[in-house]
Amino acid sequence: HRLIRIGLSATIAPLDEVAKFLVGFEDNGRPRKCKIVDARFAKPFEIRVVSPLRNIATASASEISEAIYSTLKDIILKHRTTLVFTNTRSATERVVFKLRKMFKENNVLDADKIEAHHSSLSRDLRLNVEEKLKRGELKVVVCSTSLELGIDIGYIDVVVLLSSPKSVSRLLQRIGRAGHKLRNVSKGITVVVDRDDLVECTVLAKAALERKIDNVRIPKNPLDVLAQHIVGIALERKWKVDEAYRLVRRSYNYHTLSFKDFMSVLKYLSGKLVNLEHQRVYAKIWLDEEEGVFGRKGRGKTRMIYYMNSGTIPDEAKITVISDNGRYIGTIDELFLQILLPGDIFVLGGRTYKFIRSYGSLALVKPVEGERPTVPTWFSEMLP
């Protein structure tokens, strides 16, 4: 009657190492039993790398940009539904804006059949794009990473990657969104943006076709994460030090953790290793070394700190964007808001908005269709 864990991934390696991470260790230090089913090579892929110009090394930035959009246009018109991946949200906004403008001027394609999808857009806008995509009402969707995995997005003919995705697993994840059924061919085209990108994308494509997936790096004994877990288990009940140490060492990440390091984290959290009360940093647990027990310190405060600060991804300060009719549109970075002046026009979700004013963490805007943006694109997350 033991718990059975099942791990599923199409793009992970090495499998034996990941299996140990999934199931952990027994108290005697042996890995728990795990059966590996390797079905990664059943899915057929078609991957191409395309240079928008014959001589990309000597071409100017404007020539390359024009050629990239010309290449995109050809791909889009040859397929029923195209999913375009960029590496940042700001690039997504820029590409959608330019594609809409280009197709509108040429009267080739309805601009409303082109949409943006990224995590800074409101949930309603994202769901609307996803539903349109499933119903086959969109010709093109441009996104950063938000459609990389997970959700069902319906039928996609081809996936286009603008520039290198920086890893083989990410390349396969993105291209795998096309021809999503098991026996269908997943068709992907990587459009390069310069000479270095050409070399990198070619190497990635070759490795992907040979199914040489990047090895994951699993952190060993990260003490900052251990500190969070100790505070978390201390909130439940009082623990014996030896009992908690055995529990922690069942995890793959901590099976080599020394008792000395474990005790140093307990002492740090109890304020015995370093006293930071003069900086208003107080102990999160109490520790009785003689009895060999520890537990939570305080009642609600530690619990609140724990729930508000778990995880290792830093919080981003986000500003909520609301239209003049009260509709929630999405979010922008706090740094971007600081450069906005009343009357400035910027792009969000591939559409243009005029900034009216801000108050607190809200930005009030007015939709202005077809007007030229007056401020640089907003900064957001970058791939390493």
Side-chain angles (χ1 to χ4, degrees):
H1 299 293
R2 294 182 73 177
L3 183 74
I4 295 175
R5 288 181 184 164
I6 301 172
L8 296 171
S9 176
T11 51
I12 205 158
L15 293 184
D16 50 350
E17 192 84 354
V18 176
K20 291 176 188 173
F21 170 76
L22 178 73
V23 298
F25 285 72
E26 303 281 3
D27 281 337
N28 60 14
R30 290 180 184 169
R32 292 196 184 104
K33 290 180 181 177
C34 182
K35 186 174 183 179
I36 298 172
V37 179
D38 187 355
R40 291 174 300 169
F41 308 123
K43 179 77 175 144
F45 276 83
E46 181 189 315
I47 303 171
R48 286 171 54 213
V49 177
V50 173
S51 174
L53 287 172
R54 193 165 193 81
N55 189 349
I56 201 169
T58 57
S60 66
S62 60
E63 286 173 330
I64 293 172
S65 178
E66 193 176 322
I68 286 172
Y69 284 99
S70 176
T71 304
L72 270 178
K73 180 183 170 185
D74 291 343
I75 295 168
I76 290 163
L77 294 177
K78 284 176 185 173
H79 296 86
R80 198 173 89 191
T81 312
T82 304
L83 178 60
V84 180
F85 279 100
T86 66
N87 287 336
T88 62
R89 294 175 214 163
S90 55
T92 294
E93 296 288 0
R94 189 166 62 250
V95 171
V96 170
F97 182 75
K98 288 191 176 181
L99 284 178
R100 279 185 167 175
K101 191 177 176 183
M102 181 174 70
F103 282 118
K104 200 172 183 179
E105 287 172 354
N106 297 337
N107 287 322
V108 178
L109 187 67
D110 184 357
D112 288 336
K113 290 186 178 290
I114 304 167
E115 290 285 2
H117 190 291
H118 57 72
S119 55
S120 286
L121 294 173
S122 72
R123 184 173 179 271
D124 289 345
L125 287 176
R126 292 200 309 271
L127 287 175
N128 185 38
V129 172
E130 289 162 24
E131 287 303 317
K132 281 183 178 178
L133 193 55
K134 284 180 197 176
R135 293 195 298 263
E137 295 173 9
L138 296 178
K139 188 76 174 168
V140 191
V141 175
V142 186
C143 76
S144 48
T145 58
S146 54
L147 292 177
E148 213 166 61
L149 10 108
I151 63 170
D152 174 24
I153 56 173
Y155 181 76
I156 304 284
D157 287 72
V158 65
V159 168
V160 178
L161 281 70
L162 282 180
S163 188
S164 166
K166 302 296 176 189
S167 77
V168 179
S169 58
R170 187 171 249 139
L171 179 77
L172 289 171
Q173 281 166 356
R174 291 181 174 186
I175 293 175
R177 304 311 310 228
H180 204 63
K181 290 181 180 175
L182 184 62
R183 299 300 168 202
N184 289 1
V185 177
S186 291
K187 184 179 178 183
I189 301 170
T190 303
V191 180
V192 303
V193 297
D194 57 41
R195 180 172 50 184
D196 292 344
D197 199 39
L198 175 62
V199 175
E200 188 174 319
C201 289
T202 306
V203 171
L204 285 177
K206 185 175 185 291
L209 288 168
E210 294 171 358
R211 297 298 201 274
K212 293 177 181 174
I213 299 170
D214 325 77
N215 286 350
V216 295
R217 188 188 69 82
I218 302 172
K220 301 289 175 66
N221 305 323
L223 301 186
D224 53 347
V225 176
L226 177 62
Q228 293 185 25
H229 283 300
I230 289 172
V231 172
I233 65 171
L235 288 171
E236 294 177 8
R237 61 177 174 87
K238 184 167 74 174
W239 288 77
K240 290 182 179 178
V241 171
D242 290 343
E243 179 192 13
Y245 179 58
R246 282 199 307 275
L247 175 74
V248 167
R249 277 172 55 97
R250 287 181 201 158
S251 159
Y252 174 82
N253 303 70
Y254 296 102
H255 74 277
T256 60
L257 180 72
S258 69
F259 187 73
K260 181 184 173 186
D261 283 348
F262 182 74
M263 280 304 299
S264 75
V265 175
L266 287 180
K267 289 176 183 177
Y268 171 75
L269 290 171
S270 64
K272 293 185 178 181
L273 199 65
V274 54
N275 190 339
L276 297 173
E277 288 193 3
H278 62 286
Q279 294 184 24
R280 293 181 172 273
V281 179
Y282 302 101
K284 306 296 182 290
I285 64 170
W286 58 264
L287 172 65
D288 187 332
E289 288 186 70
E290 287 186 16
E291 293 291 324
V293 291
F294 69 91
R296 73 176 186 197
K297 188 154 188 176
R299 293 187 179 180
K301 199 170 184 180
T302 300
R303 188 178 294 275
M304 184 181 73
I305 291 169
Y306 172 73
Y307 283 125
M308 289 182 69
N309 295 281
S310 58
T312 57
I313 301 170
D315 287 333
E316 292 179 345
K318 291 291 180 187
I319 303 298
T320 302
V321 180
I322 294 176
S323 68
D324 53 356
N325 62 4
R327 185 182 172 212
Y328 170 55
I329 297 163
T331 59
I332 56 174
D333 297 317
E334 189 178 34
L335 289 172
F336 182 62
L337 177 70
Q338 290 173 8
I339 67 166
L340 285 178
L341 297 171
D344 277 341
I345 295 167
F346 66 97
V347 181
L348 182 58
R351 289 175 169 81
T352 45
Y353 296 94
K354 182 182 283 187
F355 176 63
I356 300 171
R357 67 176 187 276
S358 68
Y359 39 97
S361 59
L362 293 175
L364 186 66
V365 300
K366 180 181 179 181
V368 282
E369 193 62 42
E371 288 202 33
R372 187 182 175 87
T374 59
V375 288
T377 51
W378 48 288
F379 171 80
S380 195
E381 89 294 347
M382 297 286 285
L383 283 180

